């Protein structure tokens, strides 16, 4: 159990078998029980998440309020894994029917408008809300999708590729593609939407010279998004699928021009930094929607200062640097 990860635990063969027997209402209950059991056993991981939430937003909250937020953070993590299983194992018809009925998606027009320029669209998102539904939502709305992803279990990878094929989504396996950047560039040149995440902390290709801040930490600046945009001229759109509950969602998107107006922009601010700042504001306003709190301590590893005086912790802009709303 010590080395077992939550994703692997929930996708154990015995659990997958039970998911196929239960209806989705029972799967929800069963998965939430499994998640609570996992964190009961994995005390260190549970404590890391609690401390991370406290470090980022605790200084502005009373103890009772922080406790409630932390409880909702765990519920959000549980919800994410339920959505992952639903997206991977349910039929295309039922998934499409669910998304059409339960997701408000007016902001898809921002992506469709960006595609008219003919150079592809880099859709930047994060480990936020119902991310598993985003490519499926775009696909059922006749938007050509390519997605960069890594998979923690062979079974999930197989199911994800099968489901992607059902929806006409091209998968770029981040673990096996010889050059993920080159693959993404090729997809953009075909005027497709390439979906990637700006908060894949352990995958960041950071600059040795440029730094920024994210969630109160001084961090290195990931170069991936900037390289993609520079080499393709593709439009950049930021988007998240906000979860109100497991039956109500809203797709929220911003064009590059809208993001520049939203953040504390200077001419030296790169696209990679802009999208990270927008995501930061969503996380600070809706912390229960982000499910990567356990990786927060890894942020300190993304930047190696010349001297330790540069390694100071700064608090995030909890007074909105962005005018975000859902």
């Amino acid at each position: 159990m010590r080395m077992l990860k939550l994703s692997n635990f929930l996708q154990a063969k015995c659990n997958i078998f039970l998911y196929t027997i239960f209806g989705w209402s029972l799967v929800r209950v069963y998965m939430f029980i499994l998640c609570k059991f996992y964190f009961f056993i994995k005390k260190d991981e549970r404590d890391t998440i609690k401390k991370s939430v406290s470090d980022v937003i605790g200084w502005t909250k009373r103890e009772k309020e922080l406790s409630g937020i932390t409880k909702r953070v765990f519920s959000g993590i549980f919800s994410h894994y339920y959505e992952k299983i639903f997206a991977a194992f349910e039929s295309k018809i039922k998934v499409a029917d669910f998304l059409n009925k339960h997701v408000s998606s007016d902001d898809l027009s921002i992506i469709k408008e960006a595609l008219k320029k003919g150079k592809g669209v880099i859709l930047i998102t994060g480990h936020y809300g119902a991310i598993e539904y985003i490519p499926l939502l775009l696909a059922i709305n006749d938007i050509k999708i390519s997605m960069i992803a890594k998979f923690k279990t062979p079974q999930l990878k197989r199911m994800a590729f099968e489901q992607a094929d059902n929806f006409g989504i091209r998968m770029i396996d981040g673990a096996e593609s010889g050059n993920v950047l080159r693959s993404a560039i090729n997809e953009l040149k075909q005027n497709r939407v390439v979906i990637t995440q700006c908060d894949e902390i352990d995958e960041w290709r950071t600059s040795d010279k440029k730094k920024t801040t994210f969630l109160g930490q001084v961090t290195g600046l990931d170069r991936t998004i900037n390289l993609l945009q520079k080499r393709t001229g593709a439009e950049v759109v930021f988007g998240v699928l906000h979860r109100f509950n497991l039956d109500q969602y809203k797709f929220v998107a911003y064009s590059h021009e809208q993001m520049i107006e939203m953040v504390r922009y200077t001419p030296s601010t790169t696209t990679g930094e802009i999208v990270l700042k927008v995501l930061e504001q969503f996380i600070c306003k809706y912390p229960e929607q982000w499910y990567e709190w356990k990786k927060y301590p890894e942020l300190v590893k993304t930047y190696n200062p010349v001297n330790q005086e540069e390694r100071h912790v700064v608090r995030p802009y909890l007074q909105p640097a962005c005018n975000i709303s859902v």
Side-chain angles (χ1 to χ4, degrees):
M1 191 73 180
R2 186 174 182 180
M3 298 299 295
L4 185 63
K5 303 297 183 182
L6 180 56
S7 183
N8 302 73
F9 175 60
L10 295 175
Q11 294 169 55
K13 289 184 179 180
C14 59
N15 288 328
I16 295 295
F17 174 73
L18 291 174
Y19 301 154
T20 61
I21 295 176
F22 297 156
W24 286 109
S25 295
L26 284 178
V27 171
R28 289 184 187 184
V29 175
Y30 179 62
M31 285 193 68
F32 272 53
I33 292 172
L34 289 178
C35 288
K36 289 179 179 179
F37 173 72
Y38 174 87
F39 282 112
F40 175 77
I41 300 297
K42 300 279 283 189
K43 184 177 182 298
D44 289 348
E45 189 171 332
R46 182 180 75 238
D47 290 347
T48 296
I49 293 170
K50 287 182 177 180
K51 185 177 186 305
S52 295
V53 175
S54 179
D55 286 349
V56 174
I57 63 174
W59 58 281
T60 66
K61 310 294 181 183
R62 294 181 178 179
E63 185 176 347
K64 185 176 181 179
E65 186 181 5
L66 179 61
S67 177
I69 291 172
T70 304
K71 185 177 181 180
R72 293 195 297 274
V73 164
F74 280 100
S75 181
I77 293 170
F78 302 169
S79 297
H80 160 70
Y81 283 102
Y82 167 78
E83 291 157 354
K84 180 187 286 283
I85 295 297
F86 178 81
F89 286 90
E90 187 52 277
S91 69
K92 177 182 178 180
I93 293 175
K94 290 185 178 179
V95 169
D97 183 61
F98 177 85
L99 296 179
N100 283 326
K101 288 180 179 178
H102 298 280
V103 178
S104 173
S105 56
D106 291 346
D107 280 3
L108 289 178
S109 61
I110 294 174
I111 297 174
K112 292 179 179 179
E113 193 64 28
L115 283 169
K116 290 180 181 178
K117 297 185 179 180
K119 293 188 176 182
V121 172
I122 308 168
L123 177 60
I124 312 296
T125 186
H127 293 81
Y128 179 102
I131 185 177
E132 304 294 337
Y133 292 164
I134 290 179
L136 307 180
L137 177 68
L138 270 61
I140 66 173
N141 282 277
D142 300 320
I143 297 174
K144 295 179 181 179
I145 304 300
S146 303
M147 186 168 183
I148 303 169
K150 283 190 174 183
F151 305 93
K152 294 182 179 178
T153 69
Q155 184 170 15
L156 182 64
K157 176 180 175 179
R158 177 176 57 81
M159 292 301 300
F161 269 79
E162 288 179 3
Q163 192 73 310
D165 189 58
N166 291 336
F167 281 85
I169 299 169
R170 293 180 188 171
M171 299 297 294
I172 303 172
D173 189 343
E176 293 187 3
S177 296
N179 189 316
V180 175
L181 189 63
R182 186 182 298 117
S183 297
I185 290 171
N186 289 337
E187 298 298 303
L188 290 168
K189 287 181 177 179
Q190 297 175 52
N191 200 29
R192 299 177 67 87
V193 175
V194 171
I195 304 176
T196 188
Q197 298 162 326
C198 62
D199 60 344
E200 196 74 65
I201 298 167
D202 45 5
E203 298 295 330
W204 280 0
R205 301 170 62 182
T206 56
S207 168
D208 293 331
K209 298 179 180 179
K210 301 203 70 172
K211 63 180 180 179
T212 186
T213 62
F214 181 57
L215 297 177
Q217 290 281 6
V218 178
T219 68
L221 186 60
D222 182 34
R223 298 171 293 163
T224 307
I225 294 167
N226 299 328
L227 285 171
L228 270 178
Q229 185 186 35
K230 183 177 180 180
R231 294 187 184 182
T232 64
E235 294 295 303
V236 173
V237 174
F238 176 87
V240 294
L241 190 55
H242 186 87
R243 179 195 308 111
F244 296 98
N245 55 58
L246 286 172
D247 291 306
Q248 185 183 6
Y249 303 84
K250 182 178 180 180
F251 181 69
V252 183
Y254 300 103
S255 68
H256 189 254
E257 292 76 16
Q258 288 173 320
M259 286 187 280
I260 289 176
E261 293 177 2
M262 291 163 60
V263 305
R264 293 188 173 103
Y265 174 80
T266 65
S268 63
T269 308
T270 66
T271 300
E273 190 171 10
I274 289 172
V275 294
L276 201 61
K277 287 300 178 186
V278 176
L279 176 62
E280 178 183 73
Q281 291 301 313
F282 271 94
I283 294 171
C284 290
K285 190 171 183 178
Y286 308 106
E288 71 279 0
Q289 299 278 329
W290 200 52
Y291 59 90
E292 287 287 71
W293 287 104
K294 68 179 181 181
K295 290 188 178 181
Y296 175 74
E298 296 180 19
L299 283 172
V300 73
K301 302 175 185 177
T302 65
Y303 177 63
N304 296 311
V306 175
N307 58 72
Q308 288 304 309
E309 291 180 2
E310 294 185 60
R311 174 67 77 195
H312 63 282
V313 175
V314 294
R315 289 171 175 168
Y317 293 115
L318 293 180
Q319 294 300 319
C322 306
N323 181 24
I324 61 169
S325 61
V326 296

